[in-house]
Amino acid sequence: MTQSNVDNKNQGFWDELCGSGLAKSIGTLDNSPESIKKFDSAYMGLYPYLFQYLPHPTKPEERILEIGLGYGTVGGILVERGFDYYGLDIAEGPVGLMGERMKRNGLSGQSVQEGSALEIPHPNEHFDKVISIGCLHHTGDLEKCVAEVHRVLAPGGEAVIMLYNRLSYRQLVQAPANWYREMRAEGWNGYRQRIRAMYDTNLEGEAAPHTDYISMFKAHRLFKSFTSIDIDIQNFDHLTLFGGKFHRDRPQLLNNIGRIFGLDLYITLQK
Ligand SMILES: C[S@@+](CC[C@H](N)C(=O)[O-])C[C@H]1O[C@@H](n2cnc3c(N)ncnc32)[C@H](O)[C@@H]1O
């Protein structure tokens, strides 16, 4: 796929808000203020460790850029914490909802715009902070995104980036479990699509157009232009083994195996 192909597909696919499966399961697809409140509480309940990665402003009017907005739960928290908030997303749906959230907070919402992480539409060194949860690995060019995040951060600025872990239990054990049968049935592209669908699908069950997975080691190389990097591993699926004889629910695994072979890398950076 060419870059413009990936961009076009991302624009269409993510117009349906990321998290619509969760919204459907709790009956909040209408986006009314009550539904959004219920969605936010379900979202943060699902990712309880996320709070620790969401920064607080350290001075008045501190400027933060969020890239990849989805339902805007993170953006909503950052706005409430008093940041001078800017949002960027390639798709119209998330931009519309985040703009609506800002208006509901008495703000204009004009600082939320459509655009790509690959060409951030802001000047050099414009932001004190950048945050991007689960977005950059969908763009098709992680290196370029990282260079862009570095460019728009002020010296001494901080970024929090979540990317999928290549060395997770899901990648190492669950995904390849039936690879031979699947490769024979559907070929390499079908196999890769099934792996992507383990992470992100729309309501039709279709997989996200593009996803990269990176190891901690690769993350250290990728972000080498930053002066400091800290990486935490978080998130895990529930686990059933030996034909159901062994079962652990997801919350029981978040603070042990999830910190070693978890799904997501939380990368905290300083420029
Ligand atoms: C998996 S969702 C994550 C959304 C949200 N951060 C969350 O955690 O729920 C990925 C988001 O990244 C956005 N996205 C994908 N490619 C992008 C790009 N090239 N530039 C900016 N945003 C992009 C999508 O539109 C989508 O809203």
Side-chain angles (χ1 to χ4, degrees):
M1 264 201 285
T2 63
Q3 186 60 57
S4 68
N5 241 327
V6 179
D7 291 345
N8 286 338
K9 286 188 176 211
N10 272 333
Q11 224 165 4
F13 181 86
W14 295 108
D15 194 37
E16 178 188 303
L17 301 171
C18 167
S20 49
L22 174 62
K24 191 178 175 199
S25 73
I26 57 171
T28 62
L29 278 171
D30 60 273
N31 291 348
S32 63
E34 301 70 39
S35 288
I36 288 296
K37 203 168 164 201
K38 199 168 156 199
F39 177 89
D40 289 347
S41 138
Y43 179 94
M44 292 311 288
L46 206 52
Y47 309 112
Y49 46 79
L50 186 51
F51 274 114
Q52 68 191 282
Y53 301 104
L54 304 186
H56 288 266
T58 50
K59 59 182 185 198
E61 296 294 294
E62 191 164 290
R63 205 181 282 152
I64 193 166
L65 172 68
E66 185 185 15
I67 309 170
L69 312 176
Y71 257 86
T73 304
V74 165
I77 293 171
L78 298 172
V79 167
E80 274 170 20
R81 288 186 178 176
F83 276 107
D84 181 12
Y85 174 90
Y86 288 69
L88 179 70
D89 199 290
I90 201 162
E92 201 180 331
V95 169
L97 182 54
M98 190 58 218
E100 185 56 36
R101 281 179 183 263
M102 291 188 77
K103 284 181 197 143
R104 287 175 193 172
N105 264 276
L107 300 161
S108 75
Q110 280 174 355
S111 58
V112 184
Q113 66 187 107
E114 252 181 87
S116 177
L118 296 167
E119 281 175 46
I120 299 178
H122 292 288
N124 297 350
E125 305 183 356
H126 197 58
F127 293 100
D128 302 295
K129 294 197 165 66
V130 173
I131 186 160
S132 183
I133 305 296
C135 165
L136 305 187
H137 46 223
H138 293 303
T139 62
D141 192 340
L142 266 173
E143 279 82 5
K144 195 154 182 214
C145 291
V146 173
E148 279 294 88
V149 169
H150 190 271
R151 179 183 69 76
V152 299
L153 259 185
E158 285 172 16
V160 176
I161 311 284
M162 187 279 266
L163 299 173
Y164 291 145
N165 181 14
R166 176 68 187 87
L167 299 180
S168 63
Y169 180 79
R170 183 186 281 179
Q171 285 282 328
L172 296 172
V173 181
Q174 294 168 313
N178 299 314
W179 73 271
Y180 184 68
R181 190 160 43 80
E182 283 167 9
M183 290 269 279
R184 283 189 60 154
E186 300 182 57
W188 176 237
N189 282 342
Y191 173 72
R192 293 209 327 165
Q193 194 169 318
R194 189 192 57 87
I195 308 295
R196 290 202 304 281
M198 294 175 88
Y199 289 81
D200 300 278
T201 53
N202 59 17
L203 288 174
E204 308 261 280
E206 293 162 340
H210 181 95
T211 310
D212 288 311
Y213 316 93
I214 71 156
S215 67
M216 252 198 188
F217 311 106
K218 173 140 189 217
H220 277 279
R221 287 204 302 276
L222 192 61
F223 292 99
K224 64 179 186 303
S225 55
F226 289 80
T227 56
S228 83
I229 171 167
D230 274 311
I231 307 181
D232 286 345
I233 302 174
Q234 299 281 6
N235 205 1
F236 207 81
D237 296 313
H238 69 263
L239 191 59
T240 304
L241 297 171
F242 312 121
K245 288 195 184 76
F246 176 91
H247 180 85
R248 291 286 181 276
D249 287 328
R250 181 173 171 271
Q252 294 174 277
L253 302 172
L254 291 181
N255 280 324
N256 35 69
I257 190 171
R259 304 303 309 276
I260 303 165
F261 290 112
L263 293 162
D264 305 331
L265 301 180
Y266 278 81
I267 304 165
T268 306
L269 303 148
Q270 189 151 27
K271 178 169 169 181

